[in-house]
Amino acid sequence: LTRDDGDYASFLGTADSFTGATEKKLCSSHTFSLASGKETTPGELFPDSQSELKDLFRSGFQAMIKEKPDEFYRDAETQLERQLGNVGFYLTKDGVAFYLPPESIAPANAGLVSFEVTYDFP
């Protein structure tokens, strides 16, 4: 449970699966409006357009890649462009965190690649 404030409940789950000698990291998140009981989307939570959200995702992950390039795949920025439609999110006590599926732009040992934006929900 990453946030439960009376308006929203947000969850982040991670797991490791093993198939033979191959380990795969899995990650999923869900955010629910407690008023409606329905799962929310970024489009319902934020006034930004899809294009503006993708720009935010791009700039946030690019900043991480530039800060610690050795922790990411050599072609991380190219992979990022392919993964912008797969960005997940979960709410935190201070705002919202955006993440990419494990191993999409960084090796598994990098852990969950995410960044947080401070945000006050109405």
Side-chain angles (χ1 to χ4, degrees), residues 1-11 34 91-93:
L1 184 62
T2 60
R3 181 178 178 138
D4 182 6
D5 63 4
D7 293 320
Y8 298 100
S10 195
F11 305 86
L34 297 179
L91 304 184
T92 67
K93 71 178 184 77

Side-chain angles (χ1 to χ4, degrees), residues 36-58:
S36 70
K38 295 183 179 183
E39 190 164 4
T40 61
T41 65
E44 294 169 332
L45 289 173
F46 312 110
D48 308 86
S49 69
Q50 288 285 31
S51 175
E52 290 169 321
L53 285 173
K54 280 191 175 183
D55 287 344
L56 171 67
F57 302 158
R58 183 181 294 109

